[in-house]
Amino acid sequence: MRHFLTLADFSKDELLEMIDLAIKIKKETKERNFVPYLEKQTLGMIFEKSSTRTRVSFEVGIYQLGGVGLFLSSSDLQLGRGEPLKDTARVISSMVDMVMIRTYKQSDLEEFARYSKVPVINGLTDSYHPLQLMTDYLTMIEFGKTNPRVAYIGDGNNMAHSWVYLAAIMGFELRVATPKGYECDEAVVQKALELASKSGAKLIFGNDPKEAVRGCDVVTTDTWVSMGQEDEKEKRIKDFKGFMVDSNLMSLAKSDAIFLHCLPAYRGYEVSEEVLEKYADVVFIEAENRLHTQKGIMVWLDSKRGE
Ligand code: CP
Ligand code: NVA
C-alpha cells in the first residue's frame, strides 16, 4: 500500500503513471463516460483548514469514480475536542477506503498515515501541496510546456517546496525568487538538490524576481499569507514589496509564456488583476485539472493495494 504524502516519495515513472491516468480519465470525463474505477469506495476527507478546490474536486471526483466522499471538518470531529490523531486514524481507516487530509503539520499527516489501514493523501500541509503540483504538471503539458523553464516568485512556502520537488524529480529548470528571510526550507532544498543531481534538473534559488523570470516558459506565484499566517499579514505585505507578478515582470518571460496560480489569488498582492485576467484561460483550466489529476492519483493508489 502506498500513501501520497510528498512528491519526494515517488519516482519520475510513478508520477508519470499517475499523470497518464489523469489524462485518460479526463478524456473519459469530457465524454461523460464515468468509468467506475472506484466502485462503492468511500473517501474520508478531513479538513482542518478552509478549501474550495480541494473539497469540491475530491467530492465530485470520488462520486464520478463510482464512490462517495465524506466531508469531515475537524471542528465537528472528536479530533477537534482532543481525541488523539492516532485513534482517529485507526477508527476512520477501519471504515473508509481512502483518506485525504488537509492539516497544518506534515508530521501530523505522517502520524495519521502510520496508523491508517488505507492510503492517505496530502490535501495540503504547511510544508507541501503535492496534489496542486501534479495538477500544474498536467496543465503545463496541456499548454505544450513539456520541458519548461519555470520561475516561482514569492513565499518559500508549501507551494514553493512542492515546485522544488517536482522540478527535481521531473528534471526541469526551476528558478525560485523569494524575499530575503522567506527562502525555502533548507532541508527541502538539500533533498531536492540530491534528486536533481540524478534527474539533471537545474534548481536556482535567489531573491531577484526579474532575474528569475527572464526567458522563462512558465511563471507562477502563490499567496504571501498562507492559511495559519493571518497574524503576520501586515509584515508580510511590507516584506514582499516588489514581488508582485505584474505585466512588467511577465514581459521579461518568453512571449508565449504562461502564468499559473494554484488559487485563491489575491489581486494587487502576489499578482496583478491584469496578469490574472490575461491568463485566466490557463489558470481556470489549472483549477479544473485538480479534479482530473486527483482521480488519476486515487486510481493509482487503489491499484497499489496489497503490493
Ligand atoms: N489550490 C487549492 O488547494 O485551493 P483550495 O484551498 O480552495 O482547496
Ligand atoms: N500557500 C497557500 C496555498 C493555498 C492553496 C496556503 O497554504 O494557504
Side-chain angles (χ1 to χ4, degrees):
M1 182 179 84
R2 299 287 296 273
H3 299 295
F4 188 82
L5 306 183
T6 150
L7 297 178
D9 297 338
F10 299 99
S11 66
K12 177 174 179 173
D13 285 349
E14 288 175 330
L15 295 181
L16 289 174
E17 280 170 24
M18 296 176 210
I19 295 285
D20 284 347
L21 275 168
I23 292 169
K24 177 171 174 260
I25 296 171
K26 178 170 182 176
K27 188 169 174 289
E28 290 165 352
T29 303
K30 292 287 176 190
E31 292 161 355
R32 298 199 73 73
N33 173 20
F34 301 111
V35 183
Y37 294 104
L38 302 182
E39 195 170 10
K40 296 265 188 312
Q41 293 205 22
T42 308
L43 173 73
M45 309 184 298
I46 302 175
F47 283 91
E48 294 205 75
K49 291 175 172 173
S50 306
S51 169
T52 298
R53 280 142 288 269
T54 307
R55 177 179 178 180
V56 175
S57 54
F58 267 114
E59 210 160 320
V60 171
I62 186 71
Y63 174 71
Q64 291 181 344
L65 290 171
V68 68
L70 292 183
F71 174 71
L72 304 165
S73 159
S74 59
S75 56
D76 299 331
L77 293 172
Q78 295 288 8
L79 182 66
R81 298 181 66 247
E83 183 167 18
L85 197 62
K86 59 184 180 183
D87 294 359
T88 307
R90 285 179 281 197
V91 172
I92 293 180
S93 73
S94 71
M95 299 182 198
V96 305
D97 299 290
M98 225 175 264
V99 176
M100 185 242 73
I101 312 178
R102 168 168 285 199
T103 188
Y104 292 86
K105 291 198 238 141
Q106 183 75 11
S107 56
D108 283 349
L109 174 78
E110 286 164 6
E111 182 181 346
F112 193 103
R114 265 200 309 284
Y115 285 92
S116 173
K117 296 183 197 65
V118 299
V120 175
I121 300 172
N122 182 351
L124 179 146
T125 62
D126 291 345
S127 307
Y128 304 112
H129 197 3
L131 294 170
Q132 184 67 51
L133 268 293
M134 292 295 282
T135 302
D136 292 359
Y137 193 73
L138 172 62
T139 310
M140 290 196 296
I141 294 174
E142 288 180 343
F143 282 89
K145 312 297 180 197
T146 44
N147 184 22
R149 183 182 284 167
V150 181
Y152 174 94
I153 308 301
D155 193 12
N157 62 8
N158 45 11
M159 278 298 295
H161 291 161
S162 288
W163 267 109
V164 168
Y165 279 160
L166 183 78
I169 299 163
M170 295 304 193
F172 61 83
E173 178 172 335
L174 175 70
R175 304 163 177 187
V176 179
T178 60
K180 289 208 167 76
Y182 293 93
E183 285 86 1
C184 291
D185 188 271
E186 199 41 48
V188 173
V189 172
Q190 283 315 317
K191 170 122 190 139
L193 289 172
E194 252 172 60
L195 292 167
S197 68
K198 291 172 208 141
S199 70
K202 200 166 166 196
L203 302 178
I204 302 164
F205 299 91
N207 306 104
D208 183 345
K210 290 199 182 94
E211 207 180 299
V213 167
R214 204 160 279 129
C216 277
D217 303 289
V218 178
V219 179
T220 187
T221 183
D222 183 24
T223 181
W224 295 340
V225 186
S226 284
M227 290 180 276
Q229 298 173 334
E230 291 76 9
D231 293 351
E232 300 169 32
K233 186 172 174 185
E234 238 170 274
K235 178 172 166 34
R236 284 177 165 265
I237 289 170
K238 278 194 209 122
D239 293 347
F240 281 77
K241 201 168 174 295
F243 280 77
M244 184 197 294
V245 179
D246 58 13
S247 299
N248 280 341
L249 194 59
M250 277 307 291
S251 71
L252 301 175
K254 283 192 187 155
S255 58
D256 63 349
I258 58 168
F259 172 76
L260 293 175
H261 195 308
C262 66
L263 303 178
Y266 298 89
R267 292 158 164 91
Y269 295 96
E270 79 275 7
V271 61
S272 68
E273 166 79 17
E274 202 185 354
V275 167
L276 194 82
E277 292 303 333
K278 179 172 175 195
Y279 295 95
D281 59 338
V282 185
V283 168
F284 291 100
I285 286 175
E286 178 189 5
E288 181 199 317
N289 278 342
R290 290 292 301 276
L291 172 67
H292 310 298
T293 310
Q294 289 159 198
K295 283 180 174 174
I297 293 169
M298 285 192 282
V299 171
W300 189 90
L301 289 170
D302 184 58
S303 76
K304 299 292 162 190
R305 285 181 210 273
E307 271 189 11

